[in-house]
Amino acid sequence: MKAALSHFTHTDDCSTEQLHGLLQLAQRVAADPSAYYQKLSGQLLINLFYEASTRTRVSFEVAAKRLGMHVVNIGTAGSSIEKGETLHDTFFTLQAMQPDFVVVRHPVEGTARDLVSLAEPGTHIINAGDGTAAHPTQALLDALTLQQHFGDLSGLTIVMAGDIRHSRVARSSLALLRRLGVKEIRLAAPADFLPGEQTVAHDRVFTEFDQALEGANVIMMLRIQKERISGLNIPDAGDYHRDWGLTPQRLALAAPECRVLHPGPINRGVEIASAVADGPQSLIRLQVRNGLYTRMALLLALSGGNHAAM
Ligand code: NCD
């Protein structure tokens, strides 16, 4: 990568060349992870998570530890956030410890960029999800998973289905997939769950799931983001599964080689049937493994030096 990347808050912060560079490094880490073990020995990463997380938080922690780093985890429970400390004051406290990385997840859009403006030189800020806005490392790991499976993405028809409106994964993944030049993106959701923004103008929109599936090479499923829904009815799980659940019967409407992605956590029997989630066309567990390699690659790239060129 030519221009050095200091922080990673949004895929839009990166040039297309930088995004390709990150994905190429992630491919190399995935091919031989142990070649990178201990490369950032002694550095400090702080996970600052104001929302629940399993995959993202643990994979940042494991990625950092595989690279030889020290890791501190802070959440809302058990920290001074419970005593009313503001985000900025918590950040200043953490910054005083001179961390090399702060990975932040927060319900308010723009939080990671806000922390970039407060960070001292030498501290890299990474966005692990801000409200409904962005989850850029999930987008990278999704793209890595598709590249590994399909090679070139330019021939792919990708269906994104479910609660797109409230999903930061959808926003980041769709933006990245468009930049990587996939052939066609279809958005499939009940009207309440379609995103309102202009950016969908390029995509085909379906309010009947079955109609969206013909010829699909990839189906990216999303759970209903109950915690972000206000002013809308949350659908009954059974009704939703009937109309919007990815079942083996629905999957059979897509292209025979179609693969299924889901960022997790999955809600079995709601947006996805167990037979699909655990079936031969599912790449869900590979996504989790790739999350580790993607985050190792990102930490290496942000830390600069010649690690990223390995
Ligand atoms: C997602 C998130 O937090 O945005 N989870 C994840 O990081 N893999 C998706 C979700 O919560 O539905």
Side-chain angles (χ1 to χ4, degrees):
M1 273 177 278
K2 288 205 181 102
L5 204 54
S6 294
H7 307 283
F8 191 68
T9 64
H10 205 290
T11 53
D12 287 355
D13 296 344
C14 304
S15 66
T16 302
E17 187 188 2
Q18 285 173 324
L19 292 168
H20 281 295
L22 279 171
L23 285 166
Q24 281 160 13
L25 180 56
Q27 299 279 16
R28 293 199 293 278
V29 173
D32 188 6
S34 63
Y36 297 85
Y37 287 0
Q38 305 303 321
K39 291 288 178 197
L40 300 182
S41 175
Q43 295 204 19
L44 173 63
L45 178 142
I46 300 180
N47 270 324
L48 176 59
F49 275 58
Y50 284 76
E51 287 187 352
S53 175
T54 300
R55 278 150 289 272
T56 307
R57 193 192 63 71
V58 173
S59 65
F60 269 111
E61 179 165 357
V62 175
K65 286 182 170 168
R66 289 296 197 198
L67 295 169
M69 300 170 71
H70 306 289
V71 178
V72 173
N73 292 300
I74 307 281
T76 46
S79 74
S80 287
I81 299 165
E82 280 187 338
K83 300 179 183 174
E85 189 169 60
T86 66
L87 169 71
H88 285 186
D89 286 332
T90 297
F91 181 72
F92 291 136
T93 301
L94 302 178
Q95 178 73 82
M97 316 287 172
Q98 300 184 296
D100 300 281
F101 298 90
V102 175
V103 179
V104 62
R105 168 171 287 191
H106 197 280
V108 175
E109 174 173 350
T111 296
R113 280 181 172 162
D114 179 36
L115 296 189
V116 166
S117 70
L118 304 176
E120 290 172 8
T123 297
H124 308 286
I125 306 295
I126 299 175
N127 185 5
D130 59 330
T132 59
H135 192 349
T137 58
Q138 181 72 41
L140 279 180
L141 78 88
D142 289 347
L144 175 71
T145 304
L146 293 178
Q147 284 183 341
Q148 279 178 347
H149 190 81
F150 292 99
D152 181 27
L153 305 189
S154 64
L156 295 183
T157 294
I158 298 181
V159 176
M160 176 78 74
D163 184 5
I164 301 168
R165 178 169 172 178
H166 303 99
S167 172
R168 55 194 174 207
V169 171
R171 283 189 180 75
S172 282
S173 280
L174 292 170
L176 181 60
L177 292 170
R178 287 187 201 106
R179 279 180 78 182
L180 296 178
V182 301
K183 185 172 115 194
E184 184 178 329
I185 291 174
R186 301 177 186 168
L187 306 182
D192 279 349
F193 288 168
L194 283 170
E197 55 264 55
Q198 300 290 322
T199 48
V200 304
H202 317 286
D203 305 323
R204 293 179 65 193
V205 173
F206 295 81
T207 50
E208 295 270 344
F209 198 4
D210 292 2
Q211 289 173 8
L213 294 173
E214 193 190 341
N217 307 109
V218 177
I219 307 172
M220 301 177 83
M221 295 303 302
L222 300 166
R223 88 183 157 92
I224 303 172
Q225 302 268 310
K226 287 184 185 166
E227 70 275 28
R228 298 187 208 289
I229 294 179
S230 63
L232 292 174
N233 290 328
I234 295 174
D236 170 80
D239 292 348
Y240 190 81
H241 189 64
R242 186 194 61 225
D243 296 339
W244 289 99
L246 186 59
T247 57
Q249 295 75 12
R250 283 214 166 92
L251 183 54
L253 301 174
E257 80 287 359
C258 182
R259 290 294 176 272
V260 177
L261 277 69
H262 191 310
I266 63 173
N267 288 140
R268 292 172 182 267
V270 185
E271 78 277 6
I272 192 163
S274 287
V276 174
D278 304 328
Q281 288 169 267
S282 169
L283 297 180
I284 296 171
R285 288 180 202 166
L286 184 61
Q287 285 176 277
V288 180
R289 178 71 53 83
N290 281 333
L292 172 61
Y293 300 146
T294 301
R295 288 164 182 133
M296 284 174 70
L298 180 64
L299 297 173
L300 288 162
L302 290 175
S303 73
N306 55 11
H307 309 296
M310 280 191 64

